[in-house]
Amino acid sequence: MLSLIKRTLLGNDIDGQLPARVQQAIQTQENQSEILIAWVQLFLVMVFATLYALSPKTFSADAMFAPVPYALASYLIFTLIRTAVAITRHLSWWFLSLSVIADMTLLMFLIWSFHIQYEQEPSFYLKAPTLLYVFIFIALRALRFDVRYVLLAGLSAALGWTVLLGYAVHSGNGMANITNDYVLYTMSHNILLGAEFDKIISILVVTFILALVIVRAKRLLINSVAQATAAEDLSRFFSPEIAEKITHSEGWIEPGTGQTREAAILHCDLQGFTRLSMEKPANEVITLLADYQARIVPIIQRNGGTIDKFLGDGILATFGAAVQTDHYSADCLRAMEEMMVETRNWAKEREAQGLEPQVIRFTAASGSILFGAVGDKSRLEYTVIGEPVNLAAKLDKHAKAEQAIALLTLQSYEEALAQGFTPSTQMEIRAARDVGGVTGLVDLVVLTEAD
């Protein structure tokens, strides 16, 4: 335990073992905590000022001086500066440490001033209930989830009270006022050393317990931030729906688990990409592929689709598989229409730049599929299996034969109409009857741009 406290006091915590992006996320959380602490401090000083203004003053009018207003004013100015700095920039460790010490110095100064303000012996302030505020200031540092500042606050409070106790004992008749009689202690200005040591021990024990809580809470915070960062990273390598399914799974995902669903499968293919990848420089090929995917993927996701996988220049997307819906075919056709428009715009942009326009074909089929995890325990993948998946891929060659940008089965088209799909007025739909070569295929529907 001592080694743990030593490591945390020196800053050699598990933070240094984390990736930079996770540390940055934790730093952001700590900066937000500092802003919260600043507002709480501002609230506390306002409460102190209000209580002082409303409370009756029992000391005489000719008392030496009343330091409370000056101390509160000084602390208010410091708190306002701290709040402004916390909002506008990252607080350095020395400023945070100074803030902790300033809290305790203010409190101890106020307690010390009571015997002057009320014209009593120094032992008078040892019975001030204001000491209880040290626990507020110690707990306040827990908001940052940094054990170092909690320990600094607790040790400063214990040291401050020890100094006040020493001053009371060695000032005036302090030594003569020391007693072992608890009743006499409570009824007079006598000093019971055991009672004062109990206060110091209570401060240290509460600080130590709170420090242990902060260490545990910090680890939970780090794990939480790390998992949130991992989930964000997952959403870049998987579709958001799959990433959410993985991160929110109630149990361990095992291979071979799946569900039967009705879904639409969309296959996108960049025509002639294999030849182009052999003829063009690598950077130009990758740039073209990235531009193509950056245009198509958002359209699929915007219409409720999920990217199942990237197949080189191909994209396999599903509607109603990862997230079950009753309008999967309608969503798929809306995406196909929107992608046709985007394909035309992309071709015009490339021609304007003196580049060769690229042809993208979209094919789709719908029906019963299996959606689940395949692979082994060391490498899993969520995917779709079934006749519609194979059919959507095989239809690509029929799209070429029909010289169509988009092609789907008649079944999918009729399902889409039944699910509320309304064809765009800029699209002409015609039937291609009895196209052979695909098992079970009777009719196809070709979507072509109207003249």
Side-chain angles (χ1 to χ4, degrees):
M1 187 56 64
L2 291 177
S3 61
L4 174 62
I5 295 177
K6 180 180 178 181
R7 290 199 306 270
T8 52
L9 281 172
L10 295 176
N12 184 22
D13 209 331
I14 55 178
D15 295 19
Q17 305 172 8
L18 298 172
R21 66 184 187 279
V22 177
Q23 293 188 44
Q24 181 60 41
I26 293 174
Q27 184 64 63
T28 300
Q29 292 288 336
E30 291 182 341
N31 291 342
Q32 293 174 352
S33 297
E34 281 303 324
I35 295 175
L36 177 59
I37 291 173
W39 285 115
V40 173
Q41 282 183 313
L42 191 59
F43 172 76
L44 287 176
V45 73
M46 292 299 184
V47 170
F48 292 160
T50 302
L51 292 175
Y52 179 79
L54 297 179
S55 62
K57 308 301 183 292
T58 58
F59 53 87
S60 61
D62 59 347
M64 184 180 300
F65 81 115
V68 175
Y70 301 101
L72 289 177
S74 300
Y75 189 63
L76 175 60
I77 295 173
F78 178 79
T79 302
L80 290 173
I81 294 174
R82 186 190 187 285
T83 303
V85 174
I87 293 175
T88 58
R89 59 191 299 179
H90 170 65
L91 295 178
S92 58
W93 67 268
W94 64 266
F95 192 90
L96 293 172
S97 300
L98 177 63
S99 177
V100 173
I101 296 173
D103 290 343
M104 293 306 170
T105 301
L106 167 73
L107 186 59
M108 296 304 164
F109 173 76
L110 290 177
I111 295 175
W112 173 84
S113 69
F114 287 168
H115 81 287
I116 298 177
Q117 183 167 304
Y118 291 92
E119 300 178 336
Q120 299 292 325
E121 296 181 9
S123 58
F124 171 76
Y125 60 65
L126 295 178
K127 296 182 176 62
T130 312
L131 176 65
L132 295 175
Y133 284 114
V134 300
F135 297 106
I136 297 178
F137 286 118
I138 295 173
L140 188 62
R141 296 300 157 183
L143 293 176
R144 184 181 168 85
F145 291 98
D146 194 327
V147 68
R148 292 172 294 179
Y149 300 109
V150 173
L151 291 173
L152 179 59
L155 294 175
S156 299
L159 177 61
W161 194 250
T162 301
V163 171
L164 291 184
L165 174 60
Y167 178 83
V169 169
H170 293 91
S171 177
N173 297 322
M175 293 296 293
N177 289 334
I178 296 177
T179 181
N180 292 323
D181 190 334
Y182 181 78
V183 175
L184 181 61
Y185 161 73
T186 59
M187 301 297 291
S188 66
H189 293 335
N190 288 69
I191 302 173
L192 181 62
L193 294 178
E196 304 311 319
F197 291 145
D198 283 344
K199 295 175 185 178
I200 296 173
I201 292 173
S202 297
I203 292 173
L204 293 176
V205 170
V206 169
T207 300
F208 181 72
I209 293 175
L210 191 56
L212 292 179
V213 172
I214 294 303
V215 169
R216 293 171 60 88
K218 181 67 174 289
R219 293 183 182 276
L220 290 176
L221 173 64
I222 291 174
N223 289 335
S224 177
V225 172
Q227 289 182 10
T229 305
E232 184 177 351
D233 290 343
L234 276 176
S235 65
R236 298 179 59 203
F237 290 91
F238 299 90
S239 65
E241 298 83 2
I242 299 299
E244 183 177 359
K245 202 173 189 66
I246 295 173
T247 55
H248 290 85
S249 176
E250 294 184 1
W252 187 259
I253 300 174
E254 296 288 347
T257 58
Q259 297 173 310
T260 301
R261 290 182 176 174
E262 296 295 319
I265 309 299
L266 171 66
H267 184 269
C268 310
D269 183 71
L270 187 59
Q271 182 175 306
F273 182 78
T274 301
R275 174 185 56 80
L276 184 144
S277 63
M278 298 176 64
E279 297 175 352
K280 300 292 183 180
N283 288 342
E284 183 177 337
V285 173
I286 295 299
T287 300
L288 173 66
L289 190 61
D291 191 13
Y292 149 63
Q293 293 170 343
R295 292 171 180 270
I296 299 303
V297 170
I299 296 175
I300 294 173
Q301 294 176 334
R302 190 163 54 242
N303 287 276
T306 299
I307 304 300
D308 184 85
K309 59 177 62 72
F310 292 102
L311 307 167
D313 61 311
I315 300 175
L316 181 64
T318 64
F319 296 79
V323 179
Q324 193 169 10
T325 68
D326 55 3
H327 43 78
Y328 49 89
S329 291
D331 292 339
C332 182
L333 258 71
R334 292 189 188 99
M336 292 179 75
E337 285 191 341
E338 190 173 341
M339 288 187 295
M340 291 175 66
V341 175
E342 182 62 30
T343 298
R344 183 182 68 239
N345 294 337
W346 189 33
K348 291 180 179 179
E349 291 178 14
R350 290 184 62 83
E351 288 179 342
Q353 297 171 5
L355 301 174
E356 180 183 357
Q358 299 298 315
V359 177
I360 308 175
R361 301 192 187 279
F362 312 103
T363 55
S366 62
S368 296
I369 55 94
L370 293 176
F371 173 75
V374 297
D376 64 11
K377 293 183 178 180
S378 63
R379 174 65 170 87
L380 292 176
E381 180 180 84
Y382 270 109
T383 190
V384 286
I385 303 171
E387 182 62 24
V389 182
N390 300 328
L391 186 55
K394 292 178 180 178
L395 287 179
D396 182 65
K397 67 176 182 180
H398 299 293
K400 295 178 183 178
E402 292 287 337
Q403 296 184 342
I405 296 297
L407 183 147
L408 68 157
T409 63
L410 180 60
Q411 173 190 344
S412 300
Y413 177 66
E414 291 176 343
E415 282 181 350
L417 294 178
Q419 293 170 6
F421 170 71
T422 302
S424 171
T425 55
Q426 297 180 352
M427 300 293 172
E428 177 187 356
I429 300 174
R430 58 187 172 85
R433 311 286 294 184
D434 300 326
V435 177
V438 179
T439 303
L441 180 62
V442 178
D443 291 319
L444 297 176
V445 173
V446 179
L447 275 65
T448 59
E449 296 178 282
D451 296 332

